[in-house]
Amino acid sequence: MEPTPELSPHHAYPDHWEADVVLRDGGTARIRPITTDDAERLVSFYEQVSDESKYYRFFAPYPRLSDRDVHRFTHHDYVDRVGLAVTIGGEFIGTVRFDRINEQGRPASAPADEAEVAFLVQDAHQGRGVASALLEHIAAVARERGIRRFAAEVLPANNKMIKVFRDAGYTQQRSFEDGSVHLTLDLEPTEKSLAVQRGREQRAEARSVQRLLAPGSVAVIGTGRTPGGVGRTVLRNLLAAGFTGRTYAVNRAFDEGLATLDGVPAHRSLGEIDEQVDLAVIAVPAHRVPEAVADCGEHGVQGLVVLSAGYAERGSAGRELQRELVRQARSYGMRIIGPNAFGIINTAESVRLNASLAPESPARGRIGLFTQSGAIGIALLSGLHRRGAGLSSFISAGNRADVSGNDFLQYSFEDPDTDVALLYLESLGNPRKFTRLARRTAAVKPVVVVKGARHSGTNPPGHAVPVSRIPDATVSALMRQAGVIRVDTVTEMVDAGLLLAGQPLPAGPRVAILGNSESLGLLTYDACLAEGLRPRPPRDLTTAASPQDFRDALAEALADGTCDAVIVTAIPWVGENGEAETGDGEVLAAALRGAAAGGPAKPVAVVHVEIGGLAEALAAASSTAAPRTRPTTLAGRPAAAPGAPTGAAPPTATAPTGPGTEAPAETAGAAGTAETAETAETAATEAADPPARPGRIPAYPAAERAVRAMAEAVKYAQWRRQAATPGKVPEFLDETTDEPGAAALIDTLLGTAPDPRGRPLTHDEARELLGRYGIPVRPTLPAPDPEAAVAAAARLGYPVALKTTAPHLRHRADLGGVRLDLTDEDALRRAYAEVTELLGKPAELLPVVQSMAPRGVDTVVRASIDAAAGAVLSFGLAGAPSELLGDTAHRLVPATDRDAAELIRSIKAAPVLFGWRGSAPVDTPALEELLLRLSRLVDDHPEVVSVALEPVVVAPQGLTVLGATVRLAPPPPRGDLGPRRLPNY
């Protein structure tokens, strides 16, 4: 909201401080600066605060605010005096303010870097995390204004406020003076404060989704008076699923005498309903949605599912309608699924919610499904149903203007009913946050993702989010680094999900193959090799094999310590009359299930050809099974999911609280350091737990599909094992880097008024900056004519190289612009003449002279910052073949020693570095160190927006950086490091 204060332009209203936040109980609120227009709101707010809270704030009875108080609390300069308010429905529920002070505690201006801070929260909203959210935001504002410390005076009896400060994670000092507790907080973010902030964010966002998926009551707004239509269909599906809560039909066009519809109460508006409505499903035309949202907000609805279309998918006008819809809903503390959504489903026995357009509620299962497309959602539900798989939850977010895949990951991480999370995504609103959440979730349960709109370079209609410019191959590599199982199609997603939800994870890549068809076994064997698995020779049971033969062979394979997984292949038996017998599927399924249940816990998959009833019988084993009970660790927390690799870290947060229960108190260390301290104990306990028996056995109609799913499980299991002991940044980087010197140099190079587009560094500037981080670049000297070239060679020493640096010839030795091993002046002059005669004048070629480096393998190391995804480190071999084939590996910054080692080994041409065909292996430890140094540079200095080291010649001993280009620019904003806030697209 725009103010009308008496302020100079320098102190203009800071609208970038406005933010929507999710509170501890899952509701939303808005944080914004207080303005002179807020006098009445402030007085009304203060009147609703209890006398005890007023006493805690002012240290004396203070029944009402004077006119002078109101003026002081609503007039700020937004520099030395700042006030923020938390609002719901436009009314204040909490406030915070700071006043800059000097060393004597008196009002001051910059450069004083300390401020006195005070909070006040309405009693009805205490315990919702309002003060904690305000502290995060007021601290960020203070840092922006040059304030480094907060001072606060708190009465000893005000335990709630003392806890807010204590649990924030900031470095603090405490003393007792004159009957009050004096607190001083250092506002520099710490590892602990960031962990606390993210832990609170996780619990709040998970709770907000849980409130949507487990409501105590649902109202369908726009229920048709006659059968058919979207609203009436949702109502029918709610009733058919057996929703355990209360259901209401709402339509302003209902006749006044209509009391019920389809057996549920019918009302013309929410105001006619005497009881609390938790969830509203809106199925009215877009122009009537604002009225419905206002009705919901005024009557305390907690969340909305908006099925209505006509928003951002219709263009710029619809996009603005969508933004206004989100603003309106959040102003009342509500979150939105949609608009243009397909609906939501929760199969938990205590809920049984089908508030969607899906005609049949899926069976109860262990798979959570999120999709941004209604059509894809329909296809996935149908595919899972055909294969006998059940779901724990389903969200089809449509335009996903609010609730997104990130929120679903927050929920899935805690949900005890979900073992596998499947996501179909067409856009990533916050890729940095997605990779962070995916990494944490993947450490305890598989996350399988299909990314649509991979190559269009734009977002699909309706998705008003920032567009990332990084290639899809890079996105895929970053997902893999975070433990995400990235697949290309929804069919592959279902295939992988079925295996991961029903089978334990494999301990390695060794696969046993058995079956009654030699040809099908060979196809499976070839597919395993193509996917990087290590198959054993197929065991042919012959076409005469009986179900008992299959059972015995599978039991033997599972007991064999040299195999980690088994793929069973089966074709129909041929009867005595020569006709195929396809009706023995249930018998074979029982045999396979019996063998799997009696043997060691290893994954089993079945490839079958037209065996009637086999897939259904295998799926029936546990498609509607109750939640699996997980063993408890010594720390009192659930162990990893069945089949989890030894050492996988369990989640640290508690499960979301249910409706009507008290939300857990905020505690410091809910994530981060506290989790690390328990890793060893938890890992040991999990290793001691007996392995879980396999559940349903997935069946596939083609060998390639079964093998691909198994290969994804193998790679994910390997990632889980490695994630249990994360990599580190070597200490030598701290001893050999000059971070302050690099920062001063960057400030000098950018100047006091840097160009937002940035500037490239000269060769000498780049050498100096990289040298601050222990990255030496071999010097080059310009050679505008033969005499200058000879002089440069004399200075550098022979042998030398002559290279053209014109943009169209850079790094293109194949075009004749590079001459190597020039041992004397005559050779240099001849080379100079040949190059200029062949390619053009020296002024066009920009030739340079450089001393020769030891021979080795030419590589390329790059780092760049994408505004959406963050800093990315890349590696590949130099040359056109690698570029044409896209053989480049990527990792997110900051990179650890393990990331660096994996980076150079993950390209297809990696064998060239390790002695391929008898060549000498190169110094890969030196290459890993270079990657770590560059990662540290761009992580320490976000102004370094791109670096390209090309070529980097890696020899058997050491390496040489022959060329470097660096670009500086004002650092892009880092929303993931600031206070919690919901995105506004």
Side-chain angles (χ1 to χ4, degrees), residues 866-955:
D866 179 82
V872 179
L873 187 66
S874 305
F875 171 76
L877 297 190
S882 292
E883 291 186 24
L884 291 172
L885 296 174
D887 191 17
T888 304
H890 312 274
R891 290 295 185 274
L892 282 175
V893 170
T896 65
D897 53 356
R898 174 174 291 165
D899 292 328
E902 292 176 350
L903 191 61
I904 66 176
R905 290 164 175 79
S906 57
I907 60 174
K908 296 182 178 65
V912 174
L913 303 171
F914 296 92
W916 184 63
R917 290 191 174 181
S919 61
V922 302
D923 192 350
T924 51
L927 184 56
E928 293 171 13
E929 180 180 333
L930 174 67
L931 290 165
L932 290 170
R933 290 185 181 277
L934 183 58
S935 168
R936 178 72 176 271
L937 170 64
V938 297
D939 189 44
D940 288 346
H941 307 284
E943 300 90 349
V944 182
V945 294
S946 70
V947 180
L949 308 180
E950 183 178 6
V952 177
V953 182
V954 191

Side-chain angles (χ1 to χ4, degrees), residues 573-581:
W573 287 268
V574 178
E576 296 180 358
N577 58 359
E579 295 182 358
E581 297 180 1

Side-chain angles (χ1 to χ4, degrees), residues 552-680:
D552 295 341
L554 177 57
E556 182 179 341
L558 291 172
D560 188 345
T562 64
C563 89
D564 305 306
V566 183
I567 297 179
V568 179
T569 64
I571 62 173
W573 287 268
V574 178
E576 296 180 358
N577 58 359
E579 295 182 358
E581 297 180 1
T582 62
D584 291 332
E586 294 184 4
V587 178
L588 178 58
L592 296 177
R593 290 202 306 269
K602 299 178 181 179
V604 178
V606 174
V607 180
H608 70 99
V609 177
E610 297 298 332
I611 299 184
L614 177 61
E616 295 80 0
L618 289 170
S622 63
S623 60
T624 58
R628 288 174 276 184
T629 301
R630 299 185 182 178
T632 301
T633 67
L634 296 177
R637 299 184 328 201
T646 301
T652 60
T654 58
T657 53
T661 61
E662 184 177 355
E666 295 171 324
T667 57
T673 54
E675 179 179 356
T676 305
E678 297 176 353
T679 300

Side-chain angles (χ1 to χ4, degrees), residues 206 210 346 348 350 364-368 392-393 410-420 444-445 625-630 638-639 641-642 651 653-658:
Q210 196 263 352
N346 183 354
S350 60
R364 189 181 177 197
R366 311 293 303 174
I367 297 174
S392 58
S393 59
Q410 300 277 42
Y411 172 77
S412 299
F413 173 73
E414 288 192 343
D415 182 27
D417 293 331
T418 298
D419 285 343
V420 180
V444 295
K445 59 186 68 173
R628 288 174 276 184
T629 301
R630 299 185 182 178
T654 58
T657 53

Side-chain angles (χ1 to χ4, degrees), residues 284-298:
V284 300
H287 69 275
R288 286 183 47 204
V289 170
E291 176 189 349
V293 172
D295 195 21
C296 292
E298 291 167 3

Side-chain angles (χ1 to χ4, degrees), residues 115 245 247 320 408 430 471 482 491 644 729:
T247 306
E320 186 53 41
F408 183 73
N430 188 340
T491 299
V729 177

